[in-house]
């Protein structure tokens, strides 16, 4: 009777299937993956290395085509990069020959907009993530966490409605990662962007998400969907609660027993 | 089952395909300067070594009374450099004209070819051995032929300089353009960048350190070739002065010209070192 009002799907992935063509034959990376991400939702895609997470995200960003299936944004098929969708890459992927300010202005340059018209907004974003004052620093002068914060500001600079994040904190140490997770949740609560976040870290997925899409090993399929209903804003103390442990363990058991055979796990680790 | 129309070859992250992501640095250039900055002590030591070598040579040549036509003393060379500079200066001008025009032609063609050819891996594979041949063949060997065709003016020398510097610039610049970092190209594309924007904002900056190395090597090869061509034929240019001064046994003047050539070479190095410091320092 008092069922939650259904939120419309912002993103829909419909039977996404992808084969890569390589010299040694076809690589089946993604198989019939379907999912919906609601407007303003924080969703995670969780799966072992090499299961096709990046492949999925690249299709959603319009960076490469699917062999079969499609991606819909507000019911419109995404076939090429879309201005409403911004991507945060594995590793920060800053341009090393540009300083921080110039890195963040990069999207404006590509869109042929005058960065000066956006200075205030960019400044606010930099302040928000604690990078104000570092505008003239080059990426190599910034720590890994700072680089990733810069990458988030860059992705937000054009004010997209969807943020696709590909294991953005995978290369960070555990403390910095926690810090980044907290910051990301705060930013998400403030902006209510639709976020699809990729990770192979179960605890990270549970901490951040409203929903978790668990993928099977290659070829990646949707294995299970978990709802996560810890209250927001979350803080690190929830990671030590029994409920959190339970959830992490349950997902872990799923992945260990059903999804990856031991041999495949080794192959995936090597990748 | 798989629609071949839909398959594509865009590789995703983990794999860095293509030319890979080998990092180049200007450290090969800075081999002579061993690092970025020097302490006062180090500079002092370098000057001291120079003083010892020059002073020692001067002293030895005087004590053993080595005749001037065998080896002039450093002081005689310096004196000749200043007193005869007005004779040598026009020839320096000719050499610079040949070097600058030949290099401008060779380097621009080399750069354009490198940028274009690396976009077509198949064409590149076909052309590569010919470029290698151009790089490894001393272009000086062509000068007598060029003189036959173009006479004793600037033309054969400019052509030789262009032929010597162009392939050097090209082969290094091509190495730079081949360094594709797929993640950075994907970043640009995710904001809707055109092929031209990707080229200008990603590929060129990425290639810049190698381009600068290529431009420097090209300039030095150009200088060598200009002087060599001047020695082969024609009545002007620093190379021609070398042959004249040695045939008339004007040894102080001969070495003064050598000194000028050394300074030219060092200036080329310093110019490109500074350019590299400004535009390619992000690499190290
Ligand atoms: N460009 C490519 N060509 C061939 N195979 C690829 C390419 N990109 C990824 N793969 C393969 O597809 C599978 C999924 O890769 P990816 O999507 O990067 O996985 P994940 O991001 O989950 O680690 C892997 O086995 C990988 O080796
Ligand atoms: Mg990945």
């Amino acid at each position: 009777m008092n069922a939650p009002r259904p939120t419309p799907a912002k993103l829909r992935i419909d039977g996404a299937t992808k084969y890569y063509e390589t010299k040694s034959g076809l690589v089946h990376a993604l198989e019939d993956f379907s999912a919906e991400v609601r407007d303003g939702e924080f969703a995670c895609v969780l799966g072992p290395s090499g299961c096709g997470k990046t492949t999925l995200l690249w299709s959603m960003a319009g960076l490469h085509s699917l062999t079969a299936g499609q991606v819909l944004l507000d019911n419109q098929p995404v076939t090429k990069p879309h201005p409403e969708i911004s991507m945060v890459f594995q590793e920060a992927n800053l341009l090393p020959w540009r300083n921080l300010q110039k890195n963040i202005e990069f999207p404006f340059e590509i869109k042929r907009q005058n960065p000066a018209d956006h200075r205030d907004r960019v400044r606010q974003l930099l302040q928000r993530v604690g990078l104000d004052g570092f505008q003239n620093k080059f990426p190599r002068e910034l720590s890994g966490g700072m680089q990733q914060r810069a990458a988030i500001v860059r992705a937000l600079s054009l004010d997209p409605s969807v943020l696709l994040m590909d294991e953005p904190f995978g290369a960070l140490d555990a403390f910095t990662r926690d810090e980044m997770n907290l910051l990301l949740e705060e930013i998400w609560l403030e902006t209510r962007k639709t976020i699809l976040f990729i990770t192979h870290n179960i605890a990270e997925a549970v901490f951040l998400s409203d929903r978790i899409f668990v993928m099977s090993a290659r070829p990646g399929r949707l294995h299970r969907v978990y709802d996560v209903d810890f209250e927001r804003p979350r803080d690190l103390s929830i990671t030590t609660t029994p409920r959190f442990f339970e959830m992490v363990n349950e997902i872990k058991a799923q992945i260990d027993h059903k999804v990856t055979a031991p041999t495949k796990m080794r192959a995936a680790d090597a990748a | 089952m798989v629609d071949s129309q839909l398959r594509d070859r865009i590789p995703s992250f983990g794999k860095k395909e293509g030319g890979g992501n080998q990092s180049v640095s200007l450290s090969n250039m800075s081999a002579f300067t061993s690092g970025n900055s020097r302490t006062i002590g180090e500079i002092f030591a370098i000057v001291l070594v120079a003083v010892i070598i020059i002073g020692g040579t001067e002293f030895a040549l005087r004590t053993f009374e080595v005749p001037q036509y065998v080896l002039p003393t450093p002081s005689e060379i310096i004196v000749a450099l200043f007193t005869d500079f007005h004779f040598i200066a026009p020839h320096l001008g000719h050499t610079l004209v040949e070097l600058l025009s030949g290099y401008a032609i060779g380097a621009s063609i080399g750069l354009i070819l490198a940028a274009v050819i690396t976009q077509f891996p198949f064409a590149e594979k076909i052309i590569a051995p010919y470029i290698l041949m151009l790089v490894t063949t001393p272009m000086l060997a062509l000068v007598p032929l060029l003189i036959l065709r173009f006479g004793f003016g600037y033309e054969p020398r400019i052509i030789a300089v262009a032929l010597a510097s162009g392939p050097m610039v090209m082969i290094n610049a091509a190495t730079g353009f081949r360094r594709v970092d797929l993640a950075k190209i994907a970043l640009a594309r995710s904001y809707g960048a055109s092929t031209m924007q990707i080229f200008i904002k990603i590929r060129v900056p990425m290639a810049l350190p190698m381009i600068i190395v290529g431009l420097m090597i090209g300039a030095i090869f150009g200088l060598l070739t200009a002087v060599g061509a001047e020695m082969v034929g024609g009545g002007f240019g620093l190379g021609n002065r070398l042959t004249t001064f040695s045939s008339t046994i004007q040894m102080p003047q001969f070495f003064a010209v050598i000194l000028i050539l050394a300074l030219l070479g060092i200036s080329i190095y310093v110019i490109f070192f500074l350019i590299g410091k400004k535009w390619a320092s992000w690499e190290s």
Side-chain angles (χ1 to χ4, degrees):
Chain A
M1 207 183 292
N2 230 351
R5 198 157 46 88
T7 337
K10 181 78 180 169
L11 278 168
R12 220 168 78 215
I13 307 148
D14 236 354
T17 300
K18 171 89 181 171
Y19 289 83
Y20 286 107
E21 199 178 299
T22 67
K23 286 187 200 96
S24 50
L26 293 179
V27 176
H28 192 177
L30 203 59
E31 172 60 32
D32 195 20
F33 186 103
S34 297
E36 277 185 17
V37 184
R38 297 168 195 141
D39 195 12
E41 184 178 32
F42 198 128
C44 271
V45 173
L46 178 67
S49 292
C51 76
K53 303 183 296 295
T54 299
T55 302
L56 174 68
L57 212 67
W58 273 45
S59 316
M60 303 184 71
L63 286 171
H64 63 195
S65 59
L66 286 165
T67 312
Q70 60 177 350
V71 174
L72 299 162
L73 172 74
D74 296 323
N75 289 320
Q76 299 298 313
V78 177
T79 53
K80 58 178 199 292
H82 194 285
E84 283 296 315
I85 300 177
S86 219
M87 181 121 170
V88 177
F89 291 82
Q90 242 165 331
E91 259 120 67
N93 204 12
L94 298 176
L95 305 178
W97 55 86
R98 288 171 171 247
N99 67 20
L100 177 60
Q101 182 72 25
K102 288 279 176 197
N103 259 292
I104 287 160
E105 288 173 357
F106 181 71
F108 298 126
E109 283 177 31
I110 296 295
K111 296 275 180 222
R112 299 201 164 82
Q113 296 177 12
N114 185 357
D117 301 341
H118 305 270
R119 280 254 149 90
D120 289 342
R121 221 182 86 74
V122 166
R123 184 89 193 270
Q124 277 168 11
L125 283 170
L126 284 174
Q127 265 164 355
R128 183 65 195 78
V129 301
L131 280 179
D132 195 21
F134 292 89
Q135 281 89 338
N136 292 324
K137 296 272 186 237
F138 281 83
R140 71 185 130 85
E141 301 172 288
L142 303 172
S143 70
M146 291 165 99
Q147 290 190 25
Q148 209 43 270
R149 280 183 269 164
I152 291 172
V153 171
R154 176 175 64 189
L156 290 172
S157 62
L158 290 172
D159 205 14
S161 56
V162 176
L163 219 48
L164 304 176
M165 308 181 79
D166 190 357
E167 304 194 33
F169 311 141
L172 303 178
D173 62 84
F175 297 106
T176 315
R177 178 190 279 243
D178 285 345
E179 212 177 281
M180 295 300 297
N181 285 339
L182 285 169
L183 178 68
L184 181 61
E185 195 208 15
E186 284 171 20
I187 290 175
W188 173 71
L189 286 171
E190 287 160 23
T191 60
R192 284 295 174 169
K193 309 264 179 224
T194 305
I195 296 184
L196 189 67
F197 185 101
I198 283 185
T199 179
H200 59 241
N201 182 314
I202 301 172
E204 183 174 62
V206 173
F207 181 78
L208 285 171
S209 317
D210 294 329
R211 274 191 313 155
I212 303 175
F213 301 103
V214 178
M215 278 176 88
S216 67
R218 212 188 79 196
R221 301 164 207 263
L222 180 58
H223 180 59
R224 264 195 75 165
V225 184
Y226 288 89
D227 281 291
V228 188
D229 48 11
F230 291 102
E231 220 162 275
R232 299 208 187 250
R234 296 174 186 173
D235 84 51
L236 288 177
S237 60
I238 69 161
T239 60
T240 51
T241 59
R243 234 177 97 212
F244 190 90
F245 272 128
E246 246 167 57
M247 183 137 205
V248 169
N249 285 334
E250 191 190 326
I251 297 175
K252 191 163 164 38
Q254 280 289 331
I255 293 178
D256 283 349
H257 294 134
K258 299 224 167 153
V259 183
T260 26
T263 48
K264 276 190 179 163
M265 196 63 177
R266 237 180 290 128
D269 282 346
Chain B
M1 158 181 197
V2 182
D3 179 359
S4 64
Q5 290 278 298
L6 285 172
R7 288 187 213 151
D8 69 279
R9 268 159 251 202
I10 301 166
S12 70
F13 279 166
K15 324 211 151 200
K16 305 224 155 145
E17 289 186 2
N21 193 22
Q22 74 273 48
S23 82
V24 281
S25 74
L26 293 181
S27 51
N28 10 352
M29 277 175 77
S30 51
F32 306 107
T33 57
S34 64
N36 291 334
S37 58
R38 251 182 285 267
T39 64
I40 306 277
E42 284 166 337
I43 292 173
F44 179 74
I46 289 172
V47 172
L48 191 69
V49 169
V51 168
I52 290 173
I53 290 177
I54 295 169
T57 313
E58 181 87 32
F59 179 76
L61 292 177
R62 278 172 193 264
T63 37
F64 297 110
E65 290 176 7
V66 178
Q68 199 192 55
Y69 62 83
V70 175
L71 203 59
T73 65
S75 60
E76 285 165 341
I77 296 172
I78 298 293
V79 168
L81 178 63
F82 283 99
T83 52
D84 286 6
F85 189 72
H86 59 287
F87 290 129
I88 301 174
H91 296 278
L92 171 62
H94 293 308
T95 302
L96 284 177
V97 167
E98 294 154 14
L99 176 61
L100 292 178
S101 15
Y103 179 66
I105 297 168
S108 343
I109 295 178
L111 276 182
I112 292 170
L113 274 183
V116 171
I117 218 72
T118 44
Q119 307 301 307
F120 306 98
F122 180 73
E124 198 190 346
K125 264 187 204 141
I126 307 293
I127 292 175
Y130 299 102
I131 298 297
L132 199 65
M133 240 173 69
L134 280 179
V135 168
T136 49
T137 312
M139 286 304 148
L140 269 180
L142 289 181
V143 171
L145 187 76
L146 291 171
I147 289 177
L148 269 186
R149 171 73 182 75
F150 294 99
F152 289 99
Y154 277 140
E155 295 94 332
R157 299 164 175 194
I158 291 177
I159 294 172
V161 170
L163 283 173
S165 56
M168 286 293 170
V169 173
M170 157 148 190
I171 208 162
N172 283 286
T175 307
F177 282 120
R178 248 180 267 125
R179 305 168 67 208
V180 276
D181 185 333
L182 294 168
K184 296 196 168 52
I185 290 172
L187 170 79
R189 281 187 46 211
S190 78
Y191 293 110
S194 64
T195 311
M196 199 59 197
Q197 282 179 316
I198 290 174
F199 182 75
I200 290 171
K201 293 190 186 288
I202 306 287
R203 286 186 190 273
V204 170
M206 211 65 195
L208 206 54
M210 276 312 289
I211 291 178
I212 294 170
V213 169
L215 286 174
M216 185 190 71
I217 299 174
I220 288 175
F221 267 73
L223 177 64
L224 297 181
T225 307
V227 174
E230 288 164 349
M231 295 172 81
V232 175
F236 57 93
L238 290 178
N240 167 264
R241 282 304 92 182
L242 287 178
T243 35
T244 325
F245 288 140
S246 66
S247 63
T248 54
I249 326 186
Q250 290 174 276
M251 280 336 211
Q253 286 77 2
F254 179 89
F255 279 99
V257 173
I258 299 266
L259 194 61
I260 292 175
L261 289 174
L263 290 176
L264 266 182
I266 289 176
S267 321
I268 291 175
Y269 172 80
V270 169
I271 289 170
F272 285 102
F273 179 75
L274 293 177
I275 292 177
K277 217 168 165 167
K278 173 112 177 64
W279 296 102
S281 59
W282 55 270
E283 184 102 65
S284 43

